[in-house]
Amino acid sequence: MSGQTFKYWDTGEFMRKAREAYPALYEKKYCSLARTVPGRDEWMRSGSSFILDFGTHIVGKLALEVECDNVPDSPLHVVFDFAEHTCEFDPRPYAGGLSSSWIQRETVYADNPLEAVKTSRRYAFRYVKITFPANTAYRVRYAGCVATGTTSADENAVSGLPSGTGEDVRKIDGVGLRTLKNCMQSVFEDGPKRDRRLWLGDLYLQAKTDLFTYKNTGLIKRCLYLFAALPHEDGCLSSAVFPEPMLKNQSWILHDYALFFAGVLRDLYEFEKDEKLVKELWPVAFRQAQIAAGAADGNGQVPVDMYFTDWCPGLDKTCAAQGTAVAMLNDTLFLSGIAGDGAAGDYLEKQIERLGARLLSLFDRESGLFVCPGGQISVHSQMWGALSGVIDRETQRTVLKNIAGRSDAVDTVTPYAKHYLAEALFRAGLRDEAEALVKSYWGGMVREGADCFPEIYVPSDPGASPYGDARINSYCHAWSCTASYFIRKYGIV
Amino acid sequence: MSGQTFKYWDTGEFMRKAREAYPALYEKKYCSLARTVPGRDEWMRSGSSFILDFGTHIVGKLALEVECDNVPDSPLHVVFDFAEHTCEFDPRPYAGGLSSSWIQRETVYADNPLEAVKTSRRYAFRYVKITFPANTAYRVRYAGCVATGTTSADENAVSGLPSGTGEDVRKIDGVGLRTLKNCMQSVFEDGPKRDRRLWLGDLYLQAKTDLFTYKNTGLIKRCLYLFAALPHEDGCLSSAVFPEPMLKNQSWILHDYALFFAGVLRDLYEFEKDEKLVKELWPVAFRQAQIAAGAADGNGQVPVDMYFTDWCPGLDKTCAAQGTAVAMLNDTLFLSGIAGDGAAGDYLEKQIERLGARLLSLFDRESGLFVCPGGQISVHSQMWGALSGVIDRETQRTVLKNIAGRSDAVDTVTPYAKHYLAEALFRAGLRDEAEALVKSYWGGMVREGADCFPEIYVPSDPGASPYGDARINSYCHAWSCTASYFIRKYGIV
């Protein structure tokens, strides 16, 4: 789609701006040495292998050096198996639905084993299994291994935590920072192991966290411009952009994700107060609101199939989708003021009222909970009901306290969904409950040994996977990084 | 070993000259398109594979292009299995003694399937099996494949054969030319699939053929200088030089191979009449003769364990090694005249007489054959007995005719050994027999479909391998290229 033919805004201009917004991609590199190494005296060949533990999650390339016990008279066959999590070394056949080509393996036949054997591609890993399959006439011994990581996050931009901060909170914050850093590449990626895609839902949470940590606003702008440059025909933004192999939008449309564009723009405005940027991107943000509100039925109910909400089997999204729409229409309304678009403001106020009234009709005063038409009670309904602002803060507190006592409710399964619960608790003024959630949920992952926050975490089901095989799960996932945002925004110590 | 400390000649100077002798390495490239391609309509993934036949043997890299039936949202996993001979596609586990890392496989995870998928290494192949193992969300279809070959042979330097040349001879010559071309890289390699090493025994036959075909004398000089630059401590040349991974000599010493240095230098002198080169390398050539003759025992018998002769189980090399030594001492004597080293000439004449007398003592006048002390009769004994010149041409003819009738004799198994038989027949004046041998032996390989001449060819045993697995055999091997030398030197039509 070219800028000339798109009727809503100039996509070509936004593509140029995306390129200018953060031109110094990947300028930050870091090196890590393997912490645990095999015995120095072990000479290997014919299938020998060992596992290196780098002690921390890295996104980058690897260089292995070996010694040879004789002149290497044939190539050195080396297989590198990279893993974020040790479960990935499970040798059983892969059974997942996602493409097996994401499994991180590189096979090298090194013509010169006397030089460092380097991987050609970027991997996401903490562990590397290295195997020498060939029956070479010579044997090799481990001499050293260096990982060179890449990121567009600048660690020097991160402020220290207050001196009174507890060790548990420092650890959670460190894992959140690392998660975000390793997802920050040429765009905010969802996960550096798999997909490596710019999703609007992930961007919303990454940008929130970035503004309190690395403050790479250029990268946020680049991502906003990319979405603006690659809309669908009706002006609806795509749920994701492929930065590689060709810059292209994803065909899948999600209205919650499209609405988050306004959320990112509002957060960035509140950080930088850049009115010019808001005015420039205002047509894009407003169009998403028009599309989302326009899709609501006669009752003012938005179409639930157009909302992601969570990876949660059987979840009724009626309340949660409605709450998301109203919450983000409010952000769009805020932006209309900055953009000086009074007519749009009027339109948005009416839509907020119409969609809000529908949401309020789903609030059950007796139980003090949002209840879906079929009777389902879920955490998702309450948190989005609260965030929508259709009930006052006191009622928000009631709703959120009530759901905490309901073990029969459908619960969240992703750190993405858990983010909105924590945010709802903080905004409703339930600070103790919010802090306890951050410390128990994100802290739980840390206590279980996570070096980065994974895309899915169900404390009662460690092998949970939306893809049929936990080995393909992403163990460093953008939407899980917001623990650092909560710690820094709300001053958790 | 540095030039300063080596007492026989200046190895540093020879290393510099090796670099200067043929600086324009690999300047010749050629392209080949796959001749047979799979159906254009076949969409593939999840283990689909197909085999391309390039119709001819190529040494080089590959670029594969595919079409995708959808946006490629994950890497494309491609496995390339290269084969010189279809037997290499046999899926049974490899059982050979040589390193399995020579098996030609490259695994690529292409982050951008929309670009050509290129191999990172050079392979020797006619066939390529291409497999797409992953369960990608998209499927791929073959769009094209280009092999880019490399050689230091200039095909424009090759003269045409006389107009009366038969089609069978033209075919044999073509296969010989291709074999040599594909072994000519930064050095004369023994085989481009495996070893990729500069062996003196192979160089001797390659240089002979090169002077009648591609005439790349710079490459011959480079190889002579390399051997001269990397001697063992006593001045003996190594049987081989590793051009990669580091320029180094092979520890294995073979006196026949060391003596062939003089043979190559003589052949080159007779082609170019470069006296300066002979004088420069004379100390190297003479030292090999001193070492080989000095190793003979009180009877004038050279040590058979220091001679290669053939890959032939149970062969008694007493006559063949002795014949090789005498033949090559004769070449060295010729060079002493060019070098103007009278004292060396006197020494060589005495050694030729002493070693020749021993060889003549093994000639059995009754049977008209050279017979080893234990009674073994072999083709090898006769051909080298003839080439040594210790018997006159008429007796040479007798010996060579006699052995042809002896089905009980140990026979040659490699084209390398067969070369010396053909040479002995031509030199003895048995032109018809020599031509018949070239047409039956090298022609036999062509009739069986060879596109290049392999390292081993036993008509009665197609699976023969010196390494325990025919899949690791080299099917384009330097020492087998001399059919073209015979055709062009002796005018076979």
Side-chain angles (χ1 to χ4, degrees):
Chain A
M1 185 179 296
S2 76
Q4 287 71 17
T5 61
F6 189 62
K7 63 181 174 180
Y8 298 99
W9 53 79
D10 184 346
T11 54
E13 178 65 12
F14 286 142
M15 187 57 83
R16 278 188 293 281
K17 297 235 171 186
R19 293 203 180 100
E20 286 164 21
Y22 189 63
L25 298 174
Y26 294 113
E27 88 280 36
K28 284 139 201 133
K29 296 203 170 187
Y30 57 99
C31 274
S32 287
L33 291 166
R35 284 201 194 166
T36 63
V37 299
R40 288 281 305 169
D41 293 332
E42 199 185 339
W43 288 103
M44 292 173 278
R45 69 175 160 203
S46 298
S48 307
S49 70
F50 59 91
I51 291 175
L52 294 180
D53 177 1
F54 280 83
T56 188
H57 187 278
I58 297 160
V59 175
K61 298 184 173 183
L62 202 74
L64 167 72
E65 292 199 48
V66 297
E67 296 167 51
C68 301
D69 70 349
N70 209 330
V71 181
D73 64 346
S74 62
L76 180 64
H77 183 187
V78 189
V79 178
F80 297 96
D81 285 299
F82 295 91
E84 297 185 306
H85 190 283
T86 50
C87 78
E88 294 168 66
F89 291 132
D90 179 342
R92 279 175 293 186
Y94 173 66
L98 290 186
S99 173
S100 59
S101 62
W102 289 118
I103 292 170
Q104 302 186 111
R105 166 173 282 201
E106 184 156 335
T107 303
V108 179
Y109 287 83
D111 287 313
N112 188 353
L114 306 172
E115 283 178 353
V117 182
K118 294 176 180 174
T119 65
S120 63
R121 301 172 69 227
R122 197 193 85 183
Y123 298 94
F125 61 98
R126 169 175 166 172
Y127 309 95
V128 189
K129 182 177 178 190
I130 296 175
T131 309
F132 303 105
N135 62 333
T136 43
Y138 59 97
R139 295 176 305 166
V140 296
R141 187 156 71 172
Y142 176 82
C145 200
V146 178
T148 304
T150 58
T151 178
S152 47
D154 179 2
E155 297 195 290
N156 296 318
V158 181
S159 315
L161 294 173
S163 59
T165 310
E167 202 47 46
D168 55 341
V169 173
R170 288 186 185 279
K171 275 191 187 161
I172 296 169
D173 180 61
V175 173
L177 286 171
R178 187 174 303 108
T179 304
L180 180 58
K181 179 182 92 173
N182 286 354
C183 292
M184 287 170 71
Q185 303 292 335
S186 72
V187 296
F188 284 97
E189 296 184 0
D190 60 334
K193 173 169 109 176
R194 195 211 67 224
D195 294 6
R196 302 180 178 180
R197 212 157 295 161
L198 170 61
W199 289 89
L200 239 171
D202 297 70
L203 172 63
Y204 185 35
L205 304 193
Q206 285 171 300
K208 276 186 187 295
T209 309
D210 177 66
L211 293 174
F212 282 89
T213 56
Y214 302 112
K215 305 171 188 72
N216 188 343
T217 55
L219 192 66
I220 298 175
K221 281 176 219 166
R222 172 174 157 79
C223 293
L224 287 174
Y225 284 127
L226 283 176
F227 278 109
L230 297 162
H232 285 271
E233 222 172 314
D234 63 351
C236 189
L237 298 184
S238 189
S239 56
V241 161
F242 292 90
E244 300 287 346
M246 56 183 178
L247 195 56
K248 192 179 180 317
N249 64 15
Q250 156 108 290
S251 56
W252 195 12
I253 291 176
L254 291 167
H255 284 178
D256 45 356
Y257 277 38
L259 288 165
F260 290 147
F261 186 87
V264 181
L265 190 54
R266 177 178 182 166
D267 288 341
L268 188 58
Y269 172 77
E270 296 196 345
F271 184 82
E272 286 194 328
K273 299 287 184 290
D274 184 349
E275 266 187 40
K276 194 167 156 279
L277 182 74
V278 172
K279 285 179 176 158
E280 187 179 41
L281 291 172
W282 168 247
V284 187
F286 182 54
R287 183 77 193 128
Q288 310 317 305
Q290 285 183 305
I291 290 170
D297 64 16
N299 292 326
Q301 175 63 48
V302 300
V304 296
D305 290 349
M306 300 302 286
Y307 289 72
F308 169 67
T309 309
D310 196 7
W311 283 124
C312 197
L315 175 68
D316 185 334
K317 299 177 184 176
T318 308
C319 300
Q322 196 72 7
T324 308
V326 175
M328 302 323 293
L329 288 179
N330 274 314
D331 280 342
T332 317
L333 177 60
F334 171 89
L335 291 174
S336 73
I338 311 302
D341 189 343
D346 293 344
Y347 167 83
L348 288 164
E349 281 177 356
K350 279 188 197 125
Q351 296 304 323
I352 290 165
E353 200 181 314
R354 183 168 78 98
L355 272 59
R358 161 67 179 168
L359 179 56
L360 211 48
S361 77
L362 297 166
F363 182 62
D364 176 46
R365 301 212 169 261
E366 198 178 321
S367 62
L369 290 168
F370 288 92
V371 181
C372 289
Q376 188 183 83
I377 292 166
S378 68
V379 175
H380 309 76
S381 297
Q382 316 318 315
M383 71 196 190
W384 278 114
L387 288 169
S388 73
V390 298
I391 49 177
D392 60 24
R393 282 186 91 210
E394 198 185 318
T395 316
Q396 289 172 28
R397 285 195 285 273
T398 306
V399 158
L400 293 167
K401 279 183 175 170
N402 286 344
I403 194 68
R406 291 291 291 257
S407 59
D408 59 331
V410 175
D411 200 4
T412 52
V413 301
T414 59
Y416 167 81
K418 205 66 90 182
H419 164 88
Y420 293 105
L421 176 59
E423 186 74 291
L425 290 166
F426 274 116
R427 288 209 197 158
L430 292 172
R431 188 183 165 89
D432 290 349
E433 289 81 351
E435 282 198 23
L437 176 63
V438 171
K439 288 181 180 176
S440 68
Y441 187 74
W442 280 271
M445 296 185 248
V446 173
R447 285 188 294 278
E448 288 179 22
D451 191 51
C452 286
F453 291 121
E455 72 180 316
I456 192 157
Y457 176 60
V458 185
S460 60
D461 183 8
S465 171
Y467 317 114
D469 194 317
R471 287 171 291 182
I472 209 76
N473 284 10
S474 167
Y475 292 92
C476 170
H477 212 70
W479 71 20
S480 310
C481 74
T482 58
S484 295
Y485 158 79
F486 291 121
I487 289 167
R488 288 160 181 277
K489 177 169 182 181
Y490 296 107
I492 304 176
V493 290
Chain B
M1 186 181 292
S2 76
Q4 286 71 17
T5 62
F6 189 64
K7 63 183 175 180
Y8 297 99
W9 54 81
D10 184 347
T11 53
E13 177 65 12
F14 286 142
M15 187 57 83
R16 278 189 293 283
K17 296 233 169 185
R19 294 203 180 102
E20 287 165 19
Y22 189 63
L25 299 174
Y26 293 113
E27 89 278 39
K28 284 136 201 133
K29 295 201 174 187
Y30 57 98
C31 276
S32 286
L33 291 166
R35 284 201 197 165
T36 63
V37 300
R40 287 280 305 169
D41 294 332
E42 199 186 338
W43 289 104
M44 293 172 277
R45 69 175 159 202
S46 298
S48 307
S49 70
F50 60 92
I51 291 174
L52 294 179
D53 177 0
F54 280 82
T56 186
H57 187 278
I58 297 160
V59 175
K61 298 183 173 184
L62 203 73
L64 167 72
E65 292 198 48
V66 297
E67 295 167 53
C68 301
D69 70 349
N70 209 332
V71 181
D73 65 346
S74 62
L76 181 63
H77 184 187
V78 189
V79 177
F80 296 96
D81 285 298
F82 295 90
E84 297 185 306
H85 190 281
T86 50
C87 77
E88 294 168 66
F89 292 132
D90 180 343
R92 279 175 293 184
Y94 174 66
L98 289 186
S99 173
S100 58
S101 62
W102 288 118
I103 292 170
Q104 302 187 111
R105 163 172 283 203
E106 184 155 336
T107 303
V108 179
Y109 288 84
D111 287 313
N112 188 352
L114 306 172
E115 285 179 352
V117 181
K118 294 176 182 177
T119 65
S120 62
R121 300 171 70 227
R122 198 193 86 184
Y123 299 94
F125 60 99
R126 171 174 165 173
Y127 309 96
V128 189
K129 182 178 180 190
I130 295 174
T131 310
F132 303 106
N135 61 334
T136 42
Y138 60 98
R139 294 175 306 165
V140 295
R141 187 157 71 171
Y142 176 83
C145 201
V146 179
T148 305
T150 58
T151 179
S152 47
D154 179 3
E155 295 194 293
N156 296 319
V158 181
S159 313
L161 294 173
S163 59
T165 309
E167 205 45 49
D168 56 340
V169 172
R170 288 186 186 279
K171 277 191 184 161
I172 297 169
D173 181 60
V175 173
L177 285 170
R178 187 174 303 109
T179 304
L180 180 57
K181 179 183 92 172
N182 287 354
C183 293
M184 285 170 73
Q185 303 292 336
S186 72
V187 295
F188 284 97
E189 297 184 0
D190 59 335
K193 173 169 109 176
R194 197 208 66 223
D195 294 8
R196 303 180 178 180
R197 213 157 294 161
L198 170 61
W199 289 89
L200 238 171
D202 296 70
L203 172 64
Y204 184 35
L205 304 193
Q206 285 171 299
K208 275 184 189 296
T209 309
D210 177 66
L211 293 174
F212 282 90
T213 56
Y214 301 112
K215 306 172 188 72
N216 188 343
T217 55
L219 192 65
I220 299 175
K221 281 177 218 165
R222 172 173 156 81
C223 294
L224 288 174
Y225 284 127
L226 283 176
F227 279 110
L230 296 162
H232 285 272
E233 220 171 314
D234 63 351
C236 190
L237 297 184
S238 189
S239 56
V241 161
F242 293 89
E244 299 288 344
M246 56 180 176
L247 196 56
K248 192 178 181 316
N249 64 16
Q250 155 106 293
S251 56
W252 195 12
I253 290 175
L254 291 166
H255 284 177
D256 45 357
Y257 276 38
L259 287 166
F260 290 147
F261 186 87
V264 180
L265 190 54
R266 179 179 180 166
D267 287 341
L268 188 57
Y269 172 78
E270 295 195 346
F271 184 81
E272 286 195 326
K273 299 290 183 291
D274 184 348
E275 266 187 41
K276 194 167 154 279
L277 182 74
V278 173
K279 285 179 176 157
E280 188 178 40
L281 290 172
W282 168 245
V284 186
F286 182 54
R287 183 77 191 127
Q288 311 316 306
Q290 285 182 305
I291 290 168
D297 65 16
N299 291 326
Q301 174 63 48
V302 298
V304 295
D305 290 349
M306 301 302 287
Y307 289 73
F308 168 67
T309 309
D310 197 5
W311 284 124
C312 197
L315 175 67
D316 185 335
K317 299 177 185 174
T318 308
C319 300
Q322 195 74 7
T324 307
V326 174
M328 301 322 292
L329 288 178
N330 274 312
D331 279 343
T332 316
L333 177 61
F334 171 87
L335 292 173
S336 74
I338 311 303
D341 189 343
D346 291 346
Y347 167 83
L348 288 163
E349 281 178 354
K350 280 188 196 124
Q351 296 302 323
I352 290 165
E353 199 182 316
R354 184 169 79 98
L355 270 60
R358 161 64 179 168
L359 179 56
L360 210 49
S361 78
L362 298 166
F363 181 61
D364 176 45
R365 301 215 168 259
E366 202 178 322
S367 61
L369 290 168
F370 287 93
V371 181
C372 289
Q376 187 184 85
I377 292 166
S378 68
V379 174
H380 309 76
S381 297
Q382 317 315 316
M383 73 197 190
W384 278 114
L387 288 167
S388 74
V390 299
I391 49 176
D392 60 24
R393 281 185 94 209
E394 198 186 318
T395 315
Q396 290 171 28
R397 285 195 284 274
T398 306
V399 158
L400 293 166
K401 280 184 174 170
N402 285 344
I403 195 67
R406 292 291 293 256
S407 59
D408 59 331
V410 174
D411 201 3
T412 53
V413 299
T414 58
Y416 166 81
K418 207 66 93 182
H419 164 87
Y420 293 104
L421 176 59
E423 186 74 290
L425 290 166
F426 274 117
R427 288 208 196 160
L430 293 171
R431 189 185 164 90
D432 289 350
E433 288 82 350
E435 281 199 23
L437 176 63
V438 171
K439 289 181 180 177
S440 68
Y441 187 73
W442 280 271
M445 296 185 249
V446 173
R447 284 188 294 278
E448 288 179 22
D451 191 53
C452 286
F453 291 119
E455 72 180 315
I456 193 159
Y457 175 59
V458 186
S460 60
D461 182 8
S465 171
Y467 316 114
D469 195 317
R471 288 172 291 183
I472 209 77
N473 284 9
S474 167
Y475 292 93
C476 171
H477 214 70
W479 71 19
S480 310
C481 74
T482 58
S484 294
Y485 157 80
F486 292 122
I487 288 167
R488 288 158 181 277
K489 177 170 182 181
Y490 297 108
I492 303 176
V493 291

